[in-house]
Amino acid sequence: MTDLPDDLRYTEEHEWVRKVGPARVRVGITDYAQSQLGDVVFVQLPEADKDVAAGDSIAEVESTKSVSDIYAPLAAKVVAVNEVLVGSPETLNNDPYGDGWMFELEFDDEAGLDAALGDLLDAAGYQGVIGG
């Protein structure tokens, strides 16, 4: 059974999004995604201080099975990256919703962020994507 926390929003590309401040979110890959990838051996993170558009390929995860692009779930600015993943990429497998976060995005304002989050999937909607 795939772990799907109810407090997160999800994308059809298997990213999760957690609001961590008035206009800031933390992004990672879902438990389902990491289980499909297998053992993660390398992570390429986005550049901090870079503006991204929703749907842009901005990071990459390499596993023993394949290489997968990670997409920006929202149009915003990358304000932090999880450098722990550079030296310990397996953290994505061990704790995808905690220490395995990948990057943080910041919106111009809270209202805009809340509206954008409303366009993403809730846990039930994502469960439908992964076939559950």
Side-chain angles (χ1 to χ4, degrees):
M1 181 76 184
T2 298
D3 183 23
L4 291 176
D6 286 333
D7 66 325
L8 303 178
R9 303 301 285 183
Y10 300 90
T11 71
E12 291 187 9
E13 290 77 27
H14 311 291
E15 290 96 16
W16 58 260
V17 181
R18 173 182 286 129
K19 191 170 180 180
V20 294
R24 185 180 281 210
V25 295
R26 185 169 277 178
V27 180
I29 63 169
T30 65
D31 183 49
Y32 174 83
Q34 71 79 23
S35 70
Q36 295 299 302
L37 284 167
D39 294 333
V40 175
V41 295
F42 177 77
V43 176
Q44 179 183 343
L45 297 168
E47 291 177 42
D49 271 344
K50 180 179 179 183
D51 289 320
V52 296
D56 281 358
S57 173
I58 64 169
E60 201 171 80
V61 175
E62 184 176 331
S63 72
T64 54
K65 293 182 181 179
S66 66
V67 176
S68 296
D69 287 330
I70 305 301
Y71 301 94
L74 309 164
K77 178 180 273 209
V78 177
V79 292
V81 295
N82 187 357
E83 296 290 346
V84 168
L85 297 179
V86 175
S88 300
E90 68 279 1
T91 305
L92 278 176
N93 294 117
N94 301 334
D95 192 9
Y97 299 119
D99 292 338
W101 65 276
M102 298 187 72
F103 52 89
E104 290 185 355
L105 299 173
E106 191 161 273
F107 245 67
D108 290 335
D109 61 83
E110 186 172 7
L113 174 57
D114 289 342
L117 288 174
D119 292 337
L120 299 178
L121 300 168
D122 62 8
Y126 181 66
Q127 187 69 49
V129 170
I130 61 176

